[in-house]
Amino acid sequence: MNKQRGLALSSLIFWCIGIALVALIGMKVVPSVIEYKTVLNTVKTVANEAGAQSTVADIRKAFDKYDNVNDFQSVSAQDIEITKEGGQIVVSFSYEKRIPLFANVSLVIDYAGSSN
């Protein structure tokens, strides 16, 4: 007898379900990661543009301008922390993102970033 080749129907269904779950998670997580990268780039840009004489209000206004263009859902100007380290302005943020997957199952991702 020749060796049989191929995939059983149960294996095919198993692999299809696995691929569908990975695709579902990917489609839900990728927009969140893109938003995080956009916020991180904005924070770095705002910190680099801020001069030594910039106030906290000036930095928050600059962040708001970028927020109006990019429309962040997770972070606002009041959520960012502004500190000074070694004469350099450091802007940081952190937030938690809950991504509902199906039924009562959610994925929780903690994001944090800083301009330095």
Side-chain angles (χ1 to χ4, degrees):
M1 278 188 118
N2 291 336
K3 274 179 130 177
Q4 290 184 355
R5 291 186 178 184
L7 196 61
L9 181 61
S10 59
S11 298
L12 180 64
I13 292 172
F14 173 76
W15 282 106
C16 286
I17 290 172
I19 291 170
L21 285 175
V22 169
L24 173 74
I25 291 171
M27 288 187 299
K28 298 255 183 171
V29 170
V30 167
S32 174
V33 172
I34 291 172
E35 181 184 35
Y36 165 72
K37 292 292 188 183
T38 305
V39 172
L40 184 63
N41 288 337
T42 299
V43 162
K44 288 180 179 181
T45 302
V46 167
N48 288 338
E49 289 177 355
Q53 303 301 323
S54 295
T55 64
V56 172
D58 293 337
I59 295 170
R60 289 190 196 278
K61 280 183 190 178
F63 186 84
D64 267 339
K65 288 179 184 177
Y66 282 99
D67 185 14
N68 288 338
V69 172
N70 294 320
D71 193 30
F72 306 133
Q73 300 295 320
S74 302
V75 180
S76 67
Q78 281 64 37
D79 297 331
I80 61 174
E81 297 173 16
I82 303 163
T83 58
K84 206 171 213 185
E85 293 178 9
Q88 187 179 15
I89 294 175
V90 177
V91 182
S92 58
F93 65 95
S94 65
Y95 64 96
E96 179 181 276
K97 183 76 171 184
R98 288 189 180 272
I99 302 169
L101 296 177
F102 48 86
N104 60 349
V105 177
S106 295
L107 179 66
V108 179
I109 303 174
D110 291 320
Y111 290 113
S114 178
S115 62
N116 63 350

